[in-house]
Amino acid sequence: MAKSVYITTAEPHCGKSLICLGIIDYVLRRTRKVTYFKPIIYNNKKNKKDRNINLLIEHFGLDQQYEEAYAFSLEEAQSLISSGQTNKLLDRIIQKYKVLEKKSDFVLIEGTDFVAEGSAFEVGINIHVAKNLGSPVLLIGRGDLGRSIQEVLSPLQLAIESYHEQDYDIVGVIINRAENEKRDELLEAMKKELKSDNLFLSAIPTNLLLKSPTVREIAEHLDAEVLYGKDKLENQVYRYSVAAMQLQNYLPKLVDNCMVVTPGDRGEIILGTLEANLSNNYPTVSAIVLTAGLKPDPAIKKLLDGSQHLIPILSTQANTFITATKLDNIQSYTTVESKNKIIESLKLFEKYVDMNELEARTSRVTTRGMTPRMFQYQLTQKARSIPRHIVLPEGVDDRILKAAEILVSQDIVKLTLLGDRQEIEQKIHRFGLDFPEGKIDIINPAESPTFNAYVETLYQLRKEKGTTYDQAREAMMDVSYFGTMMVYQGDADGMVSGAQHTTQHTIRPALQFIKTKKGYSIVSSVFFMCLDDRVLVYADCAINPNPTADELAEIAWSSAETARAFGIDPRVAMLSYSSGESGKGEDVEKVRKATSIVKARKPDFKIEGPIQYDAAVDLEVGAKKIPGSEVAGKASVLIFPDLNTGNNTYKAVQRETGAVAIGPVLQGLNKPVNDLSRGCTVTDIVNTVIITAIQAQEQ
């Protein structure tokens, strides 16, 4: 089965608890490492826990605390989204989900309850959360309320369309509480109307026990005082019966498991109902509700006080009409105390839901790739796990300083800033930045105790190339050379520069003495393109103008290995102006040859080429142009045939879609050195430093 499943509904009160109970029960037969996550709950009041969280953790004894099972209340989520802080919302949800994912083999995720106004908002946030967690979505509907089949299906169709519009597929649909006489007809309509070729479909019939509240739920709903029968509050109430007539006319109207509603001064109704409940000639009564704030007369109270095994008797301040109206609006829930409901739920689920089929379908689901928020979260967590020391040569740049504060305040890396100490400290004071002690160093290269040793090292490394000692000394005054030498000597683990310098200025020292790794002939680059719903790897868009077939093959496997190192499953598309065997010409033949080289050198790689961009990233186009391909329509690593194509494409995608482009990230060097754009933002710098730190971990 998939690592997780996301349960969401098309409307309120669909009975998600039955589905959640059934799925967890099924998975627990295969593994004990199961957890439950409800990202957004209706409220988070300390004295009122979310029913489903409490039910599932307590009933199954899941290895997690209540607080681990949710991230926000609905009110908190709405507030963050309305104030433009959706990323903060998603980051927290991802963080809490990842904790559960790490400790379990399967996480059941439950969407929002649809109990507040704004269902459209809840549909949208459920889609957003499911996509960022990368979970297959199982949609739940309801078949009761006396609606026609089309009225039952309509909310489901709208929900499915909403997911499709966001380029995310539903794995299955279950309609709960289907009216028994319509169930078969409903299933046929689902297959036809929901276009079910790729959907798991099921309909669970309505059940009187599950839709009936307990006396406890009714007491809470009415805010009623329990006068008697506190030990029988789990009695089920199937119907309500208002007693407004004389006893002899009322008794024949009693039905099994009903609750009698009567004003509190109707002593004869109270006593007659209790006597009928004890008689074999009348149905069992679940409880009595006394209305209008009236309580039994003292003489009757004395009689009741001396009786044993009384059914619950409740007292409410509302009059009979208002009480009856409230009872019509009560919703029943399955709680950890509802043992009979739990047993019945599991029976229904096992009978009407084919989990073998659902498991097979969820296992076949392939998401479009990792979302940007998940990608950035995983990068941050990975960098933080083993902090590395990164040198930033452009320490006087305002953006560098602001990014540095973010990085060290979150304990992601240790930093060294190069530049004039007085100028840097003045800027830190002017911007009001706060750097924890011991997390950052400031070095002026010319004043560094290591300066002369660095000069000597550079001279020895480059003297055969004609570099004199004086030239080495002059070069080491340059922050790019000094920073690169720190990395070479092991005084820093990586370097990030380029906010004030050209790419050539940044990488020249690295090419001169850090040099390429064993087995690599060239240095190349990738951009991590953070699109709205996935992260793609583009290469090479910054370094090699017109690579040969051999170089293009090396760029391909380097980029695939980089993708894998950063948690992206590499499916490599070797891009060209034609797909498959259709095209001819020198350029397409170069791509075809490069693809063959990769297949021969790396037979385990998923690679396709030559292939056009649309066939690489669009499932429908890919299936038509290269049917049966593991890559077509699902590519995550896109290799451009030359720098002109790659550089223009990444910039066009970035500008037209608003994608965040992280990079260029250099690959093939013995130690990590990365370049920034001179137009980079603080976020760009933070991301590039994090990536550099992870590269340093890998080495």
Side-chain angles (χ1 to χ4, degrees), residues 431-610:
F431 294 138
L433 303 177
D434 181 26
F435 291 103
E437 190 173 348
K439 294 288 185 178
I440 194 164
D441 292 328
I442 301 173
I443 296 176
N444 186 333
E447 299 173 357
S448 170
T450 62
F451 180 79
N452 289 331
Y454 284 2
V455 171
E456 179 64 26
T457 299
L458 180 61
Y459 170 67
Q460 294 297 331
L461 290 171
R462 299 290 296 169
K463 64 183 181 181
E464 292 184 4
K465 299 289 185 179
T467 299
T468 66
Y469 189 87
D470 287 342
Q471 288 172 332
R473 187 177 187 84
E474 183 179 352
M476 203 50 59
M477 297 286 288
D478 184 284
V479 289
S480 291
Y481 271 90
F482 190 91
T484 306
M485 186 59 75
M486 285 184 67
V487 177
Y488 177 81
Q489 294 285 63
D491 295 331
D493 299 309
M495 183 184 89
V496 173
S497 189
Q500 294 181 337
H501 297 91
T502 64
T503 296
Q504 185 66 18
H505 189 101
T506 297
I507 69 171
R508 183 189 296 115
L511 294 174
Q512 287 180 350
F513 54 89
I514 286 183
K515 299 185 177 180
T516 58
K517 289 191 249 185
K518 185 177 181 180
Y520 287 77
S521 63
I522 59 171
V523 174
S524 59
S525 72
V526 300
F527 277 91
F528 292 101
M529 299 297 294
C530 298
L531 306 176
D532 180 55
D533 61 345
R534 58 195 137 150
V535 178
L536 300 177
V537 176
Y538 282 11
D540 175 4
C541 305
I543 305 295
N544 298 283
N546 191 25
T548 65
D550 288 314
E551 290 172 337
L552 198 60
E554 185 175 319
I555 292 169
W557 72 63
S558 297
S559 303
E561 288 168 354
T562 296
R564 185 176 287 124
F566 288 93
I568 297 172
D569 180 27
R571 295 173 184 263
V572 183
M574 306 292 285
L575 298 177
S576 181
Y577 57 77
S578 73
S579 296
E581 300 299 324
S582 62
K584 303 295 179 184
E586 183 179 344
D587 291 337
V588 75
E589 288 302 327
K590 179 178 78 170
V591 174
R592 188 170 283 123
K593 181 180 178 183
T595 305
S596 298
I597 294 170
V598 176
K599 287 180 177 180
R601 289 279 301 272
K602 308 284 184 178
D604 58 320
F605 274 31
K606 296 173 183 175
I607 185 168
E608 192 68 64

Side-chain angles (χ1 to χ4, degrees), residues 16-81:
K16 294 197 302 288
S17 59
L18 183 152
I19 312 302
C20 292
L21 282 164
I23 291 178
I24 292 182
D25 182 68
Y26 174 85
V27 179
L28 281 172
R29 298 176 205 168
R30 288 151 176 77
T31 176
R32 297 306 303 172
K33 295 181 179 180
V34 176
T35 52
Y36 167 81
F37 185 45
K38 190 172 184 179
I40 300 172
I41 62 176
Y42 184 53
N43 68 61
N44 61 351
K45 296 178 182 177
K46 291 183 179 179
N47 62 344
K48 193 173 183 180
K49 291 184 175 181
D50 181 89
R51 292 184 186 91
N52 269 15
I53 294 178
N54 203 47
L55 165 66
L56 297 166
I57 291 179
E58 293 295 324
H59 176 72
F60 291 112
L62 301 182
D63 182 21
Q64 63 181 111
Q65 299 299 313
Y66 176 85
E67 290 71 21
E68 292 181 288
Y70 73 92
F72 295 100
S73 70
L74 182 59
E75 184 180 2
E76 291 168 337
Q78 289 172 325
S79 177
L80 285 171
I81 292 172

Side-chain angles (χ1 to χ4, degrees), residues 9 12-20 140-142 176-177:
T9 64
H13 308 301
C14 292
K16 294 197 302 288
S17 59
L18 183 152
I19 312 302
C20 292
I140 314 300
R142 61 184 299 184
N176 194 17
R177 301 175 179 170

